[in-house]
Amino acid sequence: MRHWTPGRDPRAVRHPGPAPAASPASDAPARPSVVVVGGGIAGLAAATGLAERGVSVRLLEAQATLGGRVRAWPVTLPGGDRVTMSRGFHAFFRQYYNLRALLRRADPALDRLVAIDDYPLRLADGPTDSFTHLPLTPPWNLIGFVAKSPSFTLAGLAKVNVKAALGLVSVEFPRTFGDLDGVSAAEVLDRLNFPASARHLALEVFARSFFADPREFSGGELLGMFHTYFVGSSEGLLFDVPNDDYDTALWAPLGRRLERLGAEVATGVRVEGLTRTDAGVRVATSAGDVEADAVVLAVDVAGLRRLVADAPWLGTPDWRERIADLRNAPPFGVARRWLGAPAGGASWGQSGGQSGVAPFLGTSGYGPLDNLSRLDAFEAGAAAWASRTGGTVIEAHGYALADTTNARERLWAEASRIHPELADAPVLGEQWLVADDCPLVDTSPWRRRPEVATPDRRVVLAGDLVRCDFPVALMERAATTGWQAANALLSGWGRRGFDLWSPPMRGRFTRR
């Protein structure tokens, strides 16, 4: 029998949790207390790990709902209907082992995740690529994709720099991240002489899903994603999505479980500052001060910069400079419409050669539009609204907006190029959101990114802005570093940590 793995890939790597310190600090508290700042994925993972090991946990979230940048919240349409809004579609890939381990705490069989059958990518005035019906195991998945993809032509493939292309499979993490310091994703493809007809696949799928311009996105991260989804993992490129809005399906159940474990979960509470005390850290909040033995900072770039700048006692000058140097990615826009007409018409059936409406369609060459999502295809709340009204719920997303002027109008204009009937459908409700709080995974030195540990053992970091040795990114990096933050504190207090998993750390053909 093969050894157990959290997915179908037998080469997935187990990273054992740190052993408890042989000699915990003499001042280690009998029952440690921790304030977790931020109720996104990273904060929820850290709080869960700590609470499960008997630590007293207070989870503080500034917004009214949990989930951070993957949260959902209620809104009211002009007609009075109560519906939900979010910051946009997110794909829960099968390689997200540590995020799935977190979700299983409240949903052991992951019944609240449903599979998306395809991930079509449509190029304006060009072909549509599909990821369905492909082998899952490398290299057959890549061979199968190239064989059926209209974006890869024999003439284009003949020009690829084979020696450079071997770098896609000869990776070793974390070394590969640092090997490409200063090199952008666009430059990596230039070195490969990557076919122009297929660049939209490589750059739009990966770089823009990081809310980054390909000329600024890290080349090392691009190789990490090629490895994770194409050439290093047998989980495939298809993914799951929640069967209802994020709060209902995922985060509210996790919050309730935390409370059953004895944790305090407080939403609508803003953290305003950190002060060092003899016993630990005092956290100033909009609801009053809280003291704890340690703090997990699971916040966005702006929040971390602000808290560190206002705490001169925290860290060395070099570390503080590294935090100050963190940058945000360009802004993104999410436009959602509740339409008073059903999804229909010939144009709806063209995505990936499938019949019916594709729940998710990636796009390239349509101005600022990066994807279209039909929420009533998978979210129970949206489906109930659509059934009751005879309508549909459509979302247009622009990942990295160079210009936010009239961005909403431009997104819908491009969406109507794909589905012309959108232009005439009655709009019963609309929400528009622009934000710029995602970390920029740029070409700066990988080693300069902050890691979980800080110069002060009472403070640890978590989130997708945090450096991680594993080939993981986005939501999975947030979950992984959240567990790692819990592990770092638990080990120091003589308590057992948690095992983590990742896709293979080496390429299949990397020389030892």
Side-chain angles (χ1 to χ4, degrees):
M1 294 179 62
R2 71 179 180 93
H3 68 283
W4 183 88
T5 59
R8 70 175 303 278
D9 188 354
R11 297 179 70 243
V13 177
R14 171 178 168 264
H15 303 270
S23 301
S26 59
D27 58 350
R31 190 191 181 200
S33 60
V34 176
V35 171
V36 178
V37 183
I41 292 172
L44 285 165
T48 295
L50 293 165
E52 287 184 357
R53 295 292 189 257
V55 174
S56 175
V57 174
R58 281 190 176 96
L59 176 63
L60 307 179
E61 167 55 46
Q63 300 295 334
T65 54
L66 299 173
R69 298 199 305 275
V70 194
R71 73 185 188 95
W73 58 92
V75 296
T76 302
L77 300 185
D81 286 343
R82 292 282 285 175
V83 293
T84 60
M85 178 61 181
S86 75
R87 294 163 52 101
F89 182 94
H90 286 77
F92 290 69
F93 286 96
R94 314 285 165 79
Q95 292 91 338
Y96 287 2
Y97 302 132
N98 302 316
L99 174 57
R100 286 169 175 259
L102 174 65
L103 298 180
R104 287 183 187 278
R105 265 45 182 202
D107 181 17
L110 295 181
D111 291 328
R112 300 189 189 111
L113 293 182
V114 294
I116 295 294
D117 294 332
D118 197 6
Y119 187 145
L121 297 172
R122 180 165 175 169
L123 177 64
D125 303 318
T128 295
D129 283 277
S130 170
F131 294 97
T132 192
H133 305 307
L134 292 176
L136 296 178
T137 303
W140 308 114
N141 57 348
L142 192 58
I143 293 171
F145 176 70
V146 170
K148 69 176 287 192
S149 171
S151 296
F152 284 85
T153 64
L154 290 177
L157 289 174
K159 298 177 182 178
V160 169
N161 183 328
V162 176
K163 182 177 180 180
L166 290 177
L168 295 178
V169 294
S170 302
V171 294
E172 183 172 8
F173 297 96
R175 188 205 69 213
T176 294
F177 289 134
D179 283 350
L180 289 172
D181 284 345
V183 179
S184 72
E187 290 177 87
V188 168
L189 296 191
D190 289 342
R191 293 177 180 182
L192 291 173
N193 201 20
F194 206 76
S197 61
R199 286 178 74 96
H200 70 285
L201 286 171
L203 292 182
E204 304 304 324
V205 171
F206 297 123
R208 294 185 69 83
S209 64
F210 280 78
F211 306 94
D213 185 293
R215 293 165 296 183
E216 287 197 286
F217 180 57
S218 161
E221 295 281 359
L222 179 72
L223 289 194
M225 294 302 94
F226 276 157
H227 170 77
T228 296
Y229 297 119
F230 276 119
V231 296
S233 167
S234 298
E235 303 292 353
L237 193 57
L238 300 182
F239 53 78
D240 305 316
V241 294
N243 64 4
D244 211 338
D245 69 85
Y246 298 128
D247 190 58
T248 299
L250 306 179
W251 315 130
L254 275 171
R256 291 192 292 270
R257 182 177 182 272
L258 276 170
E259 291 176 332
R260 290 195 297 272
L261 289 170
E264 177 186 337
V265 178
T267 57
V269 176
R270 176 179 168 83
V271 171
E272 299 171 342
L274 308 173
T275 304
R276 178 174 52 188
T277 68
D278 291 339
V281 180
R282 179 181 298 113
V283 181
T285 82
S286 57
D289 290 357
V290 178
E291 293 197 15
D293 297 303
V295 173
V296 178
L297 298 180
V299 294
D300 61 19
V301 168
L304 182 60
R305 284 197 307 241
R306 174 179 60 83
L307 290 172
V308 171
D310 293 342
W313 57 271
L314 178 56
T316 63
D318 178 70
W319 182 84
R320 294 174 64 82
E321 181 180 339
R322 289 159 57 194
I323 299 299
D325 286 344
L326 292 172
R327 294 195 293 157
N328 284 347
F332 66 92
V334 181
R336 186 177 296 185
R337 283 181 172 174
W338 289 260
L339 301 177
S347 69
W348 288 105
Q350 294 175 357
S351 300
Q354 305 297 306
S355 61
V357 182
F360 178 88
L361 175 67
T363 63
S364 178
Y366 289 92
L369 180 68
D370 284 300
N371 69 62
L372 277 173
S373 307
R374 179 192 164 201
L375 279 75
D376 55 292
F378 49 86
E379 282 193 7
W385 182 91
S387 176
R388 186 173 66 254
T389 62
T392 191
V393 186
I394 301 294
E395 178 181 281
H397 202 165
Y399 281 143
L401 299 175
D403 180 9
T404 59
T405 306
N406 300 321
R408 173 173 58 177
E409 292 76 11
R410 288 185 290 132
L411 285 173
W412 286 120
E414 295 297 335
S416 297
R417 288 177 58 194
I418 300 171
H419 299 307
E421 59 272 30
L422 287 177
D424 299 323
V427 179
L428 304 184
E430 183 170 9
Q431 290 283 307
W432 169 239
L433 179 151
V434 175
D436 63 351
D437 54 1
C438 298
L440 179 61
V441 185
D442 61 14
T443 62
S444 60
W446 182 79
R447 287 280 176 191
R448 294 286 294 172
R449 299 180 195 171
E451 53 194 332
V452 167
T454 76
D456 192 303
R457 62 183 176 86
R458 292 166 293 190
V459 181
V460 293
L461 308 182
D464 59 349
L465 60 80
V466 175
R467 191 176 83 211
C468 182
D469 286 351
F470 309 161
V472 296
L474 301 169
M475 292 190 293
E476 178 67 351
R477 183 173 293 167
T480 300
T481 57
W483 290 112
Q484 289 177 324
N487 281 350
L489 294 176
L490 292 169
S491 177
W493 290 324
R495 301 185 182 221
R496 182 167 53 91
F498 294 86
D499 291 352
L500 299 175
W501 288 83
S502 78
M505 299 290 284
R506 301 165 58 91
R508 288 173 176 265
F509 305 104
T510 302
R511 292 181 180 179
R512 295 188 178 276

